[in-house]
Amino acid sequence: TNPGDGVGGTITWNLSSVAPGVPATPSYQVAVDDPVIVNSVFTNSVAVTTPSMAGGATGERSAGTGYTAADAVTLNSPLASITKSAIPTSATIGEVVTYSIAVAIPPGSIMYDATVLDVLPSDLSFDGITSTSCTMGAVPCVPALDVQHLYNSGQTYSFFLGDIASSSAASRVVTIVYNAHIDNTVAAGAIRTNGATIFGNTTDVLAADPGFVSGPFDVSTGPAATTIDIVEPTLTIDKDVSAQSGDSDWRRAKPGDFLDYTLLVANTGTDLSPAHEITVVDTLPAGVSDPSLISGGGVWASGPRTITWTVPGPLHPETSRALSYRVYVDAALDWTDENAAAAELVNIADVASYYGVPAAERTANGFDYIIYTDTVADTVSVELDLAQIGDYVWFDVDGDGAQDGAE
């Protein structure tokens, strides 16, 4: 009986009177735009005023408690969503990380000037987009969506998607996959987090690809964040000789004895990654034979008297690799070879170098990699029993040059 007039976007009702305890309930319907703009906020406010008397009487009251009231209702349109993932979730220096970003526009909605801004953390370098896709329901988008527009400002990378609308039946999902690698400016134990945010406008501000990292924007969702743990290999070496006591790295031997040596290379510590192309070198002292029973493909070089092993790896965290060989103590050694100050046979084993990334990957990518040379060498000593009984000695008491019976 009291229709509103709908002037200027405002609906006005003129109610002749509202009896105490009997509320008036004007009502109306509206239709949401199709498609509706994602991430929109619709706030509908209502206010009521009334005088104290009907008919505009002189001196009536129209302000103060009970003469005015207001209320509001807020509705939200469907939200665009964004997720981000990384493979692997831990990586070493020079290793490639593959990031995936998925943006979903809900059914029956649109986002104008959709732009993904991805802030890549320090110590990572962007290597390029590897693939993009757009699906609606279970089928590719028609027309296809071009997401190859890529710009950056510092570590912020922009993927311009344009205007994205979805049907009333299914979401439109845009997926961007790109690679980045870990720079040689960070160490094991660090954590690098990056986040991607989808931005857009409520009107079509950008009629074409802006050609740069654009903004500001009206609406956004995110950031969707993912983290990378920085890891590195850490190798140790422990060398032992047969019949040593505990881990003393020391024993006694005689000329002609055989000595069995064992080297244990281990990848141990915290925040570890696999080790690759491990070079182990054991330097043999003079006084022992050429080695035999060399395990693991070790190569003997008689000139420098070294055994060199190349262990391709991967040597995974908290695992080890055992290497071994046998030598014989030179049977011709005698008391003239005695070293009173130290053990006669001292040899040293070391991990000369190793890598955190396989050779094939290093060759293919050509990034800045670390050649690790930080392993502490291990030394084993063998004390030889070379002493012997000396010549027969007597004391010539009477000085006659002959051993008498009492001498």
Side-chain angles (χ1 to χ4, degrees):
T1 57
N2 294 282
D5 59 17
V7 176
T10 299
I11 305 173
T12 301
W13 287 270
N14 291 310
L15 306 177
S16 58
S17 65
V18 178
V22 183
T25 56
S27 63
Y28 62 96
Q29 292 182 335
V30 296
V32 178
D33 291 342
D34 185 11
V36 65
I37 299 171
V38 297
N39 295 43
S40 295
V41 178
F42 304 104
T43 300
N44 181 211
S45 301
V46 62
V48 60
T49 61
T50 184
S52 59
M53 300 177 65
T58 302
E60 67 180 0
R61 181 178 291 176
S62 59
T65 303
Y67 291 92
T68 62
D71 200 3
V73 172
T74 298
L75 301 175
N76 297 302
S77 70
L79 300 176
S81 66
I82 184 168
T83 58
K84 184 167 187 180
S85 61
I87 298 175
T89 56
S90 61
T92 193
I93 310 305
E95 188 171 3
V96 173
V97 179
T98 299
Y99 288 100
S100 296
I101 302 170
V103 174
I105 305 301
S109 60
I110 187 171
M111 175 175 270
Y112 292 108
D113 309 328
T115 302
V116 174
L117 295 185
D118 190 332
V119 182
L120 202 62
S122 61
D123 308 308
L124 273 82
S125 291
F126 184 86
D127 296 325
I129 296 174
T130 60
S131 68
T132 62
S133 64
C134 178
T135 58
M136 194 152 56
V139 298
C141 297
V142 178
L145 187 65
D146 181 8
V147 294
Q148 296 291 334
H149 304 294
L150 170 65
Y151 315 100
N152 76 290
S153 176
Q155 289 292 93
T156 299
Y157 287 81
S158 170
F159 305 89
F160 180 72
L161 311 182
D163 303 334
I164 307 177
S166 61
S167 71
S168 60
S171 296
R172 182 172 293 214
V173 179
V174 179
T175 302
I176 305 167
V177 182
Y178 70 88
N179 285 342
H181 70 271
I182 310 298
D183 294 327
N184 187 9
T185 55
V186 66
I191 298 175
R192 291 295 178 261
T193 301
N194 75 313
T197 302
I198 177 68
F199 292 91
N201 288 314
T202 55
T203 59
D204 194 3
V205 176
L206 301 174
D209 183 348
F212 58 91
V213 179
S214 57
F217 298 95
D218 299 331
V219 296
S220 66
T221 299
T226 187
T227 60
I228 298 294
D229 297 323
I230 306 302
V231 292
E232 295 181 80
T234 303
L235 296 190
T236 62
I237 189 167
D238 181 26
K239 182 174 182 179
D240 295 326
V241 62
S242 55
Q244 71 178 37
S245 176
D247 195 30
S248 63
D249 294 342
W250 184 92
R251 63 162 286 181
R252 305 190 73 91
K254 301 186 300 296
D257 285 351
F258 69 85
L259 304 172
D260 286 331
Y261 288 98
T262 302
L263 291 67
L264 189 67
V265 179
N267 189 3
T268 184
T270 59
D271 301 304
L272 292 172
S273 67
H276 302 267
E277 282 79 53
I278 305 162
T279 299
V280 180
V281 178
D282 192 327
T283 303
L284 276 62
V288 297
S289 66
D290 289 354
S292 61
L293 304 179
I294 302 174
S295 71
V299 177
W300 166 246
S302 58
R305 296 190 61 77
T306 58
I307 307 174
T308 301
W309 289 268
T310 301
V311 181
L315 187 61
H316 291 287
E318 302 304 339
T319 63
S320 59
R321 177 72 180 272
L323 307 169
S324 61
Y325 63 94
R326 172 177 288 184
V327 295
Y328 288 85
V329 180
D330 187 349
L333 295 176
D334 59 24
W335 65 273
T336 62
D337 298 300
E338 176 76 33
N339 182 355
E344 285 75 24
L345 302 180
V346 177
N347 71 323
I348 301 173
D350 189 19
V351 177
S353 64
Y354 59 100
Y355 293 86
V357 176
E361 187 174 336
R362 298 197 308 272
T363 301
N365 295 328
F367 301 139
D368 186 10
Y369 300 97
I370 295 178
I371 303 175
Y372 294 93
T373 58
D374 55 350
T375 302
V376 177
D378 196 16
T379 301
V380 171
S381 301
V382 176
E383 177 69 34
L384 297 180
D385 295 330
L386 299 175
Q388 66 183 36
I389 300 299
D391 292 335
Y392 180 72
V393 178
W394 56 276
F395 184 62
D396 188 6
V397 176
D398 56 12
D400 64 356
Q403 185 177 7
D404 301 324
E407 296 178 332

